[in-house]
Amino acid sequence: MESEVILALQDVGKKVKEKMILEGVSFEVKKGEIFGLLGGNGAGKSTLLRLLFGLVLPSAGCFYIGNYRCPPSLPQTRALMGGCLDNTSFYGNLTGIENITLFASLSSCYPKAKEIEFFASFVGLESSLLYKKFSTYSQGERRKISLLHSLFPLPRILIWDEPWMGLDPRGIQKIQELVITLNSERGVTFLLSSPLPQEMEKIAQRVAILHHGEIKWNDYLTPRISLEKIYGEILKEW
Amino acid sequence: MVKVTKAEIKKATRNLRFYGGILLTWALAGVVAAQAWHNPLSFYLEKVTLPFSLLYPLALFGPVGGIWGGTENIAEERREGTLSTALLRPLSRWEWYWGKVGFTLFYNLLMVFTPLLGMILLEKIMWGGGLSSRLLGGGLMVTLYISSFSALSCFFSSLFYRSWGGPLLALGVGAFSYIVEHLGIAENIHGYLLTHYLSSFHIFFLPQIDWHQALVSFLVLLSYTGGAFLLGAFIFLREEER
């Protein structure tokens, strides 16, 4: 029996100042899946993910999140999703934990400090760092706070744009372990974007390759498929 | 909407800049209090109450704090990138915008009424007296006057996307109406100019309150405030976060 589709894009296009950033993008993400969106810089990954949150509007096509059709982007659809985008930013004068509780309160979620500290260890963040002002964080620490904030409340779909950007190999490994744990134990569906095929290959079950705003390849990963090779061929061909 | 206003209050209390506008109005109250302390007889003989003496400087300088509040609403959040973070949450743009407006109005009330209450207390200590409905009316009129600047700043911030547009253009509207009125040109539009209502709180301290004039002042200031906030909301709703 086919799994339930939780996110579906139908011919989504985005034009900015006469330039097509996305064109005819269609794919589906099934419930409980780890779906990867692979593409280089300027491929349109971030625009696509911003579009899912209603931060930008599609010029063509539509998408479904759960049973809701977008646009219009509805608060109900965002209640199903948690996100960390490329430019997710926080208040510099507040501590990490204050930022997390502040933004979580906008989702009517009021996590206790202990809960946040507990999850912080899973993104490789020492709990003492949570009590430092956001403006004092390094790039990697900022990234970890962004990822951590999207876990409160724990949504049905987590959309992370380049989650390992700015992280060291140990940090990347921690995040990958967290993705696998949340997916297998809590059934969280993931939509992850990255320009790194070798990192994507380690965790994604299915991958779509976005190049120049178009989906060039979309399939399940098997041990016989080398994502790096496919991606390399697409880059050469186009 | 209430969620946004609550979060805004929580955030603001941890921000030193939040106290800037309130400190400004308290500093004005300090000047008035020092004058009264230095020469209490003239205040007493002229039957000028301390809170009343504070309302004019509040109306004159308060718009600076009001404009700052209006700019923080959208332009600052955009510049910092925190607006996009908030909009990842299950909030509509409409809800977010009006939540911020709610906080701005609350902030303007704090800016006006906290030093005003301080003055009332000081006057009670010096000569007796207390809170009157006239003071409340005057205070609300000044709050509305300051809020109209906040609303203009918020509207221009929505329109021009960047943080400089809001405060500069809101100040520009204030300067334009002040100059037009004081040069005595285009007299038929004076009644619609914003700074024409700078001293509208005065109506509440006349021996006989002119209710018609009070209503006109209230409606003009409400139109500026409500109109600018509404226009800002419609522009904000149609925008994208790049």
Side-chain angles (χ1 to χ4, degrees), chain B residues 15 19 34 58 60 91 146 179 213 237:
Chain B
N15 186 352
Y19 301 99
L58 279 182
L60 195 63
L91 292 171
I146 294 173
I179 291 166
Q213 192 52 42
L237 280 186

Side-chain angles (χ1 to χ4, degrees), chain B residues 14 38 129 162:
Chain B
R14 286 163 173 79
H38 182 67
R162 297 284 172 233

Side-chain angles (χ1 to χ4, degrees), chain B residues 69-105:
Chain B
T71 307
E72 284 272 310
N73 263 356
I74 298 175
E76 271 299 298
E77 296 268 358
R78 267 203 180 117
R79 199 177 62 80
E80 300 281 339
T82 42
L83 171 54
S84 295
T85 310
L87 293 176
L88 299 178
R89 299 285 168 176
L91 292 171
S92 64
R93 290 176 80 84
W94 185 261
E95 205 179 344
W96 185 86
Y97 180 89
W98 289 108
K100 299 283 275 186
V101 169
F103 171 74
T104 306
L105 297 176

Side-chain angles (χ1 to χ4, degrees), chain B residues 6 18-19 26 96 119 123 195 215:
Chain B
K6 271 188 185 170
F18 167 78
Y19 301 99
W26 270 98
W96 185 86
M119 287 287 100
E123 188 170 71
T195 51
L215 185 67

Side-chain angles (χ1 to χ4, degrees), chain A residues 36-99:
Chain A
L37 192 62
L38 184 65
N41 296 333
K45 304 184 301 293
S46 298
T47 305
L48 184 61
L49 301 189
R50 295 173 79 72
L51 204 134
L52 296 177
F53 282 98
L55 295 174
V56 293
L57 299 172
S59 313
C62 65
F63 55 94
Y64 292 84
I65 296 169
N67 296 322
Y68 301 102
R69 185 185 193 274
C70 305
S73 164
L74 302 165
Q76 291 95 312
T77 62
R78 272 176 274 140
L80 300 174
M81 306 189 291
C84 164
L85 301 183
D86 60 338
N87 63 347
T88 299
S89 188
F90 297 89
Y91 300 107
N93 60 314
L94 300 187
T95 63
I97 202 159
E98 283 170 343
N99 269 301

Side-chain angles (χ1 to χ4, degrees), chain B:
Chain B
M1 205 172 90
V2 178
K3 275 187 293 193
V4 180
T5 307
K6 271 188 185 170
E8 204 56 27
I9 292 170
K10 195 175 160 190
K11 183 191 95 191
T13 51
R14 286 163 173 79
N15 186 352
L16 278 179
R17 283 188 294 179
F18 167 78
Y19 301 99
I22 295 170
L23 281 177
L24 169 84
T25 57
W26 270 98
L28 295 172
V31 172
V32 173
Q35 277 180 332
W37 202 264
H38 182 67
N39 194 1
L41 194 60
S42 72
F43 268 80
Y44 188 76
L45 292 177
E46 286 173 29
K47 298 207 179 300
V48 178
T49 67
L50 279 178
F52 173 74
S53 312
L54 180 63
L55 286 174
Y56 185 74
L58 279 182
L60 195 63
F61 297 106
V64 176
I67 285 173
W68 171 77
T71 307
E72 284 272 310
N73 263 356
I74 298 175
E76 271 299 298
E77 296 268 358
R78 267 203 180 117
R79 199 177 62 80
E80 300 281 339
T82 42
L83 171 54
S84 295
T85 310
L87 293 176
L88 299 178
R89 299 285 168 176
L91 292 171
S92 64
R93 290 176 80 84
W94 185 261
E95 205 179 344
W96 185 86
Y97 180 89
W98 289 108
K100 299 283 275 186
V101 169
F103 171 74
T104 306
L105 297 176
F106 170 72
Y107 184 71
N108 291 345
L109 276 170
L110 277 184
M111 270 205 313
V112 172
F113 278 92
T114 54
L116 209 56
L117 286 173
M119 287 287 100
I120 291 167
L121 194 68
L122 183 67
E123 188 170 71
K124 198 171 172 61
I125 293 166
M126 288 175 79
W127 301 303
L131 183 68
S132 70
S133 53
R134 285 174 179 251
L135 262 180
L136 196 67
L140 285 175
M141 201 61 103
V142 172
T143 308
L144 194 56
Y145 179 73
I146 294 173
S147 298
S148 57
F149 280 93
S150 302
L152 283 171
S153 166
C154 192
F155 161 64
F156 288 124
S157 295
S158 301
L159 193 62
F160 293 101
Y161 212 86
R162 297 284 172 233
S163 45
W164 59 266
L168 276 187
L169 288 162
L171 276 175
V173 169
F176 169 79
S177 55
Y178 187 82
I179 291 166
V180 167
E181 196 173 5
H182 282 81
L183 287 180
I185 51 174
E187 278 182 19
N188 50 339
I189 64 160
H190 285 189
Y192 303 103
L193 295 174
L194 187 53
T195 51
H196 186 72
Y197 299 92
L198 176 75
S199 308
S200 51
F201 64 87
H202 206 275
I203 301 164
F204 291 96
F205 296 92
L206 296 171
Q208 193 69 39
I209 297 174
D210 181 350
W211 285 108
H212 173 73
Q213 192 52 42
L215 185 67
V216 168
S217 303
F218 175 76
L219 288 177
V220 171
L221 290 176
L222 189 69
S223 306
Y224 265 101
T225 310
F229 273 136
L230 260 179
L231 280 174
F234 285 119
I235 293 166
F236 181 70
L237 280 186
R238 299 166 67 90
E239 280 176 340
E240 294 186 333
E241 298 315 315
R242 290 167 234 162

